[in-house]
Amino acid sequence: MDNRIDAGASSSLSLFAALSYGVASMAMVFINKAIVMQYAYSMTLLTVQQLATTFLIHFGRQFGYTKARGVDMITARRLLPVSLFYNANVAFALASLKGVNIPMYIAIKRLTPLAVLIAGFFSGKGKPTTQVTFSVLLTAAGVLIAALGDFSFDLFGYSMALTSVFFQTMYLVLVEKSGAEDGLSSIEIMFYNSFLSLPFLLFLIIVTGEFPNSLSLLFAKSHSFSFLVTLILSLVMGIALNYTMFLCTIVNSALTTTIVGVLKGVGSTTLGFVLLGGVKVHGLNVTGLLINTAGGVWYSCAKYQQRKNKPAKLMSDLEAHRK
């Protein structure tokens, strides 16, 4: 009986983690696009977001709202690469949104499953199935076709998005490994990620010349109610996205997280054509996006079927998330 209860709770947690990450991820794309259209200093935005996350979790632990453990230097050293890859991913993603429209941004980010599979192959996880291989190739072909029909093609934006795919792949693989080996909850990984990010980000905003102009502009724009609302939404959703992403990766896997990202991209692509602007429709562009979406859905179905044929994974992090 207890085993069945635990299995049910485990399945519920897995479903909740996947759904919440999908919703948060979809919302964050549009919020980020809205904020960078008004405020171009992406590194400063990321720094403020990580600072808010650090203080929120710290005070939450102090007042007993979370059972997250305190800072351990050995664990901090292990998670330092996770933090560096995460911040590199977000920084390049924000930079790419300045020149890439949302449908094309999502199409490029759908290359992440391909990168995750390649990384898994070289790390000894084995050769992917035929269906998975063809689906990711179809996804990549869709990106190339869509790019040929993208009137607003921006080389810098595309380069930033592709670089973001690389860093996202690295941190997803590392998060899965860190959660499994160290038994850390998603809140603890999120705290370490934010805490370790701050020195690196502060260094970057100084070296890149964002500081102090970025702060001056931030204070000046804070008098605008619409900007202030967008900024607060960006901070809140950034924290929610981090939590749900780490939760989904720990209780499921890095691969599941990428699958959820692919599926939410279908809705985001459709909305991206009508929200926020910046999209000039062309036959090749639409065809490529449809091919890219079909490849993503095919990939998700293939991986779902593959997981069904394997024994259910035990969720070692379950108790850590029952708060």
Side-chain angles (χ1 to χ4, degrees):
M1 175 66 73
D2 289 341
N3 289 337
R4 286 198 297 271
I5 292 174
D6 287 343
S10 177
S11 299
S12 298
L13 180 60
S14 298
L15 181 61
F16 168 77
L19 288 176
S20 57
Y21 170 65
V23 172
S25 182
M26 182 184 294
M28 198 62 192
V29 172
F30 292 96
I31 293 171
N32 278 339
K33 183 67 175 179
I35 195 73
V36 297
M37 288 171 67
Q38 302 180 64
Y39 185 80
Y41 295 111
S42 55
M43 295 302 301
T44 301
L45 279 174
L46 182 55
T47 304
V48 173
Q49 183 186 103
Q50 298 291 41
L51 189 63
T53 303
T54 301
F55 280 113
L56 180 65
I57 298 177
H58 172 72
F59 286 115
R61 186 174 62 238
Q62 292 294 319
F63 291 104
Y65 291 110
T66 176
K67 298 178 182 178
R69 291 167 289 184
V71 176
D72 176 73
M73 293 309 298
I74 296 176
T75 303
R77 283 196 295 269
R78 289 180 182 174
L79 291 179
L80 182 59
V82 174
S83 177
L84 294 177
F85 283 127
Y86 168 82
N87 285 283
N89 163 56
V90 176
F92 280 102
L94 286 171
S96 71
L97 282 170
K98 298 174 186 176
V100 178
N101 60 63
I102 285 180
M104 280 308 306
Y105 168 80
I106 294 168
I108 295 171
K109 293 292 279 184
R110 283 201 189 104
L111 294 175
T112 304
L114 172 61
V116 169
L117 286 175
I118 293 173
F121 176 76
F122 283 107
S123 64
K125 286 191 174 182
K127 184 180 178 180
T129 64
T130 302
Q131 283 204 56
V132 168
T133 301
F134 279 110
S135 66
V136 294
L137 289 177
L138 187 65
T139 302
V143 172
L144 293 176
I145 295 171
L148 292 174
D150 185 10
F151 283 131
S152 59
F153 180 84
D154 183 281
L155 180 60
F156 176 79
Y158 272 68
S159 301
M160 294 298 98
L162 289 170
T163 306
S164 173
V165 167
F166 167 76
F167 285 118
Q168 183 179 14
T169 300
M170 296 306 298
Y171 87 75
L172 281 174
V173 173
L174 287 173
V175 164
E176 182 180 6
K177 183 179 178 182
S178 299
E181 290 184 352
D182 301 329
L184 296 171
S185 69
S186 55
I187 290 181
E188 288 167 338
I189 293 181
M190 187 166 66
F191 176 74
Y192 277 107
N193 178 65
S194 301
F195 175 74
L196 293 171
S197 299
L198 291 175
F200 173 68
L201 291 174
L202 289 172
F203 172 76
L204 281 183
I205 63 174
I206 293 174
V207 170
T208 57
E210 284 197 8
F211 181 84
N213 293 335
S214 59
L215 288 183
S216 301
L217 183 61
L218 186 64
F219 285 126
K221 281 186 168 289
S222 63
H223 292 92
S224 168
F225 179 75
S226 61
F227 174 79
L228 196 59
V229 169
T230 307
L231 177 62
I232 293 173
L233 277 175
S234 175
L235 295 178
V236 172
M237 288 307 301
I239 294 172
L241 177 61
N242 289 346
Y243 174 76
T244 55
M245 178 196 65
F246 290 133
L247 178 64
C248 184
T249 305
I250 290 173
V251 302
N252 293 299
S253 68
L255 191 56
T256 300
T257 303
T258 61
I259 291 172
V260 173
V262 167
L263 292 177
K264 64 89 183 175
V266 177
S268 299
T269 299
T270 304
L271 291 173
F273 277 108
V274 295
L275 297 178
L276 300 177
V279 183
K280 296 179 180 179
V281 179
H282 184 277
L284 276 176
N285 189 240
V286 174
T287 301
L289 290 172
L290 289 174
I291 292 173
N292 176 266
T293 301
V297 173
W298 183 13
Y299 167 80
S300 300
C301 293
K303 293 309 296 183
Y304 174 75
Q305 194 63 40
Q306 187 177 324
R307 283 179 64 86
K308 272 184 67 177
N309 296 332
K310 290 183 179 181
K313 177 184 175 183
L314 293 177
M315 303 303 176
S316 59
D317 193 54
L318 178 60
E319 292 299 327
H321 291 90
R322 286 180 178 171
K323 295 183 177 70

